[in-house]
Amino acid sequence: MFCVQCEQTTRNVKGVAGCSFNNGKCGKTGEVSDLQDMLVHLLQAVSTYAVAARKVGIVDAEIDAYVPQAFFSTLTNVNFDAERIIDFSRRAEGYRNQLKARYAAACAEQGITPETLPAAAHYQLPDAKVVMLSDALQFRFNLQKAEVGEDVIGLRLLSLYGLKGAAAYMEHARVLGQTDAEVAGKFHEIMAWLATNPTDVGQLFQCSMDIGQLNYRIMQMLDKGETDTFGHPEPTRVNTQPIKGQAILVSGHDYHDLELILQQTEGRGINVYTHGEMLPAHAYPAFKKYKHLVGNYGTAWQNQQSEFAAFPGSIVMTSNCIIDPKVGDYTARIFTRSIVGWPGVTHLADNDFTPVIEAALAQPGFTADAEPVYTTTGFARNALMGAAPAVIEQVKAGNIKHFFLIGGCDGIRDERSYYTEMAQAVPKDSLILTLACGKFRFNTLEFGDINGIPRLLDIGQCNDAYSAIQLALALADAFECGVNDLPLSLVLSWFEQKAIVILLTLLSLGIKDIRVGPTAPGFLTPNLVGILNQQFGLKLIGSVEEDLKDMLAA
Ligand code: SF4
Ligand code: SF3
């Protein structure tokens, strides 16, 4: 195996080695990793045919939806089940064959000579897993390192991993009814182009910016899907402590699944809790009507093995991030949905959550109410825009002097305490905006307010970076300056590919001087990090004191 896509990738004394041998740091086996490389190869073949097919008028919405969905299964901490990855590959091969035949027929009908597509687009999936695994060796993404150099490999991976993040958001948007044939066409073009193993550094760099721009459109679609379906989030206080009674915990990013679970548990005497990135659900009007949605339990993904073990009910993983449930011995009461998979864990392929309800009822539940501890969420686009005039007034009066966006993913490294320390160290006349799961390190601390405006404003999930961008644009408009001229500092934490694509989106919008940590992405060479620093002022986090001085002086 070779995998270097996430922040916890294997490092040695010489630097980043990437995960190799038999197991990744995340628990992904070498077998699953190689099969995922094969799946990506097949999905690129589908996209190659989808691009050709579009030129003769064939656009297939089902295939357009499938490719990003299956690609999503290869993100960090999403699917660890070899058999499911093989199933995704078989279906991909079926779609490729279908497109191939339809393309040939359309060319014949229109009197067009079919394009000669690269050999990779014709790959035949073998029957036996052992042959798949030996084939997969030729699909590793660092194979040509000696030939093309590590910067080219790094830029290819920046695009591939960024596109994985965009694919995940496409799937989240699709679940809420938001699809766009043009976006899908652009996605296929990039997939197909990356399959040609490009070597031009300028073109590769431009590709990563194109992915950033594409993802901006996708986040806009997702925002529309969420707000059209569930209403606009309103600032909402959420209890983070247990309530007496039987319980279901819903994790991941998929609000549609949460809604189904709430509908199917209504009147059953079961309390439903959000976990991790599901927290902002409490702020949507559509969810407020469910009285049995009682609170948020647990913190960020990396703590799930102890937190789920202690949860006396059943658990549903609607999307990333799952880690080994055997460690906490809760395999029998955790369930996966959609692209998520773990061998031996029950996967719910349809919308019937009866097994989850039965598993919850078989558990003791919480025996008493705990003393409530609250956090507040729901400062997404609409609420921020509503608050903007008051914020602008306070800025003009000199009471708010700086904005910090402390956003991104959490993870295991001790260095991540930087983000808590930063939130605590920023001057009292500044506002802190948060999004994604990194906030769980400090979102129950008391930050107070500035003349009624809370100093800590949680925007929502990682994809709600879209709302943060809208606020920045509105402030820039109000102060008649560019976003880079605002007293706004972005301090991001990354873990996996969704964070990579959000970073690409911010860079593609021309946003400069972003700080990112806890480490540089392992697939970027020091040379590439240097180029990003030169072009965008992108910096790695350092000490809280020095970074703060620098940000406030800017
Ligand atoms: Fe390693 Fe991360 Fe890849 Fe898992 S996802 S194998 S930890 S680089
Ligand atoms: Fe990322 Fe798993 Fe936290 Fe959506 S998805 S934020 S880590």
Side-chain angles (χ1 to χ4, degrees), residues 136-151:
L137 300 180
Q138 44 173 318
F139 306 140
R140 286 190 185 161
F141 302 109
N142 63 344
L143 267 194
Q144 295 181 322
K145 192 162 155 186
E147 198 182 314
V148 300
E150 55 181 9
D151 281 352

Side-chain angles (χ1 to χ4, degrees), residues 1 3-10 18-19 23-28 33 75-77 497:
M1 74 179 285
C3 182
V4 68
Q5 67 181 354
C6 83
E7 185 270 326
Q8 69 182 6
T9 195
T10 306
C19 294
N23 264 300
K25 279 277 189 66
C26 57
K28 181 165 77 173
S33 183
L75 266 75
T76 300
N77 291 345
Q497 301 78 51

Side-chain angles (χ1 to χ4, degrees), residues 169 253 277 301 320-321 408-410 436-437 462 495-496 498:
Y169 291 131
H253 302 68
E277 281 283 79
W301 67 270
N320 24 15
C321 297
C409 317
D410 207 354
C437 70
C462 45
F495 175 65
E496 39 81 295
K498 283 180 166 177

Side-chain angles (χ1 to χ4, degrees), residues 57 75 93 117 153 195 257 280 312 420 447-448 460 472:
L75 266 75
E93 187 188 40
L117 298 180
I153 298 289
D257 272 359
T420 311
F447 286 88

Side-chain angles (χ1 to χ4, degrees), residues 77-355:
N77 291 345
V78 173
N79 200 314
F80 295 79
D81 188 337
E83 297 312 313
R84 296 266 314 280
I85 301 301
I86 292 172
D87 287 348
F88 281 127
S89 300
R90 292 207 190 287
R91 214 173 136 194
E93 187 188 40
Y95 282 135
R96 191 273 318 274
N97 292 346
Q98 199 194 103
L99 275 178
K100 195 173 176 174
R102 286 163 69 192
Y103 175 62
C107 285
E109 201 180 295
Q110 295 171 30
I112 297 170
T113 311
E115 285 179 60
T116 309
L117 298 180
H122 307 287
Y123 175 68
Q124 300 292 330
L125 190 63
D127 289 335
K129 186 157 85 176
V130 65
V131 188
M132 292 178 193
L133 290 169
S134 89
D135 277 7
L137 300 180
Q138 44 173 318
F139 306 140
R140 286 190 185 161
F141 302 109
N142 63 344
L143 267 194
Q144 295 181 322
K145 192 162 155 186
E147 198 182 314
V148 300
E150 55 181 9
D151 281 352
V152 166
I153 298 289
L155 284 173
R156 283 182 192 167
L157 292 179
L158 178 63
S159 287
L160 187 79
Y161 296 156
L163 197 58
K164 283 192 185 192
Y169 291 131
M170 275 174 88
E171 170 63 5
H172 288 315
R174 186 198 65 81
V175 167
L176 298 173
Q178 298 297 316
T179 56
D180 182 315
E182 207 180 301
V183 165
K186 184 74 190 162
F187 171 82
H188 287 309
E189 271 174 32
I190 299 172
M191 282 290 268
W193 186 69
L194 289 173
T196 64
N197 288 330
T199 53
D200 185 294
V201 168
Q203 286 180 351
L204 276 163
F205 187 74
Q206 184 53 48
C207 177
S208 68
M209 292 299 103
D210 290 349
I211 293 168
Q213 283 293 300
L214 180 69
N215 189 57
Y216 186 58
R217 285 181 65 183
I218 295 167
M219 286 198 300
Q220 194 171 30
M221 285 160 58
L222 179 51
D223 177 280
K224 182 169 167 30
E226 288 175 344
T227 52
D228 281 2
T229 315
F230 306 115
H232 281 285
E234 300 153 0
T236 303
R237 238 163 53 115
V238 183
N239 184 10
T240 62
Q241 297 301 307
I243 301 287
K244 185 179 175 188
Q246 280 162 313
I248 293 175
L249 186 59
V250 188
S251 187
H253 302 68
D254 190 337
Y255 295 138
H256 178 60
D257 272 359
L258 176 65
E259 187 175 45
L260 292 172
I261 292 166
L262 286 165
Q263 286 165 351
Q264 292 177 32
T265 48
E266 204 146 29
R268 302 293 303 269
I270 299 172
N271 290 326
V272 177
Y273 296 79
T274 58
H275 172 262
E277 281 283 79
M278 201 59 84
L279 164 68
H282 296 270
Y284 286 87
F287 293 114
K288 285 180 186 286
K289 65 175 189 248
Y290 296 103
K291 298 293 168 243
H292 61 304
L293 178 63
V294 294
N296 178 256
Y297 171 92
T299 53
W301 67 270
Q302 75 280 1
N303 302 321
Q304 71 187 246
Q305 285 163 332
S306 56
E307 292 173 349
F308 290 0
F311 186 79
S314 57
I315 303 145
V316 182
M317 301 301 291
T318 67
S319 75
N320 24 15
C321 297
I322 188 171
I323 51 177
D324 192 350
K326 294 192 296 301
V327 173
D329 200 19
Y330 48 84
T331 308
R333 54 189 175 88
I334 186 169
F335 298 82
T336 59
R337 290 281 290 160
S338 174
I339 36 59
V340 189
W342 192 282
V345 166
T346 305
H347 183 72
L348 301 173
D350 61 24
N351 288 340
D352 180 2
F353 287 87
T354 305

